[in-house]
Amino acid sequence: MQNPLLHYVRRMTDTSSRWEKVGDYAVWAGHRGNAEPPYGLLEMTEAGIVPIRKDAPGTPLLHRIEAGTPHHITHLFGFWHVSDSDLVWLQAVYSEATYYMMTIGGISGRPSRDACQWYCPRCGHQLHQADFDTATLGFGGFLAFQLEGVREFNRDRNLRTCERCSFVHSLAYGFHADEDTDPEREARQEW
């Protein structure tokens, strides 16, 4: 039997913005300077897209994303992520930057399924979904998979074209900006 994780420190000011596997959790932390576009958390609900915002300027935000809820973080990843595990999003503003942290997992064997989804920005119709077996291939495997899925979506204009309204979705981008191609880097600035 594995002992529970009782101690972990991750400074939000750490300049490394990579995912890290810690016990039963995957943890990401990053920050954006005041001159950069902020990350923005969006959730897809039955009523449509809901931006998750702070109640009062200058206060931190801690938000639980329920398992199975499609969510997108603008400028961080260019798709809607869905997991069978809850996620926690933390956002805190300081004078020089806004700091963010996302945590997924917490239960042995979870997440076991993840998906990347794309929706038409004009009418909301689902354009494409790529599913991943995280239980077998691990969260590190999902990180490689999501970038392959992004590039497949970008290469195939048919995947990006809405069958309902004919709108063509912009290019997508993966989790890590340092892996972007030039067109992906441009797309990251847009959405």
Side-chain angles (χ1 to χ4, degrees), residues 53-132:
R53 299 199 169 125
K54 298 179 296 179
D55 291 333
T59 62
L61 169 71
L62 178 66
H63 179 76
R64 174 181 156 248
I65 303 167
E66 188 176 347
T69 302
H71 56 279
H72 169 65
I73 299 175
T74 59
H75 310 296
L76 182 58
F77 51 91
F79 53 89
W80 292 82
H81 176 233
V82 182
S83 176
D84 66 351
S85 180
D86 287 355
L87 286 90
V88 175
W89 175 254
L90 175 63
Q91 180 176 327
V93 179
Y94 290 93
S95 59
E96 73 285 355
T98 302
Y99 295 90
Y100 305 88
M101 183 173 279
M102 187 171 17
T103 305
I104 183 171
I107 299 172
S108 183
R110 292 284 174 101
S112 63
R113 302 287 313 157
D114 285 279
C116 301
Q117 299 177 335
W118 287 270
Y119 294 89
C120 176
R122 181 181 287 161
C123 73
H125 179 69
Q126 186 173 339
L127 303 175
H128 182 61
Q129 177 167 322
D131 294 306
F132 187 76

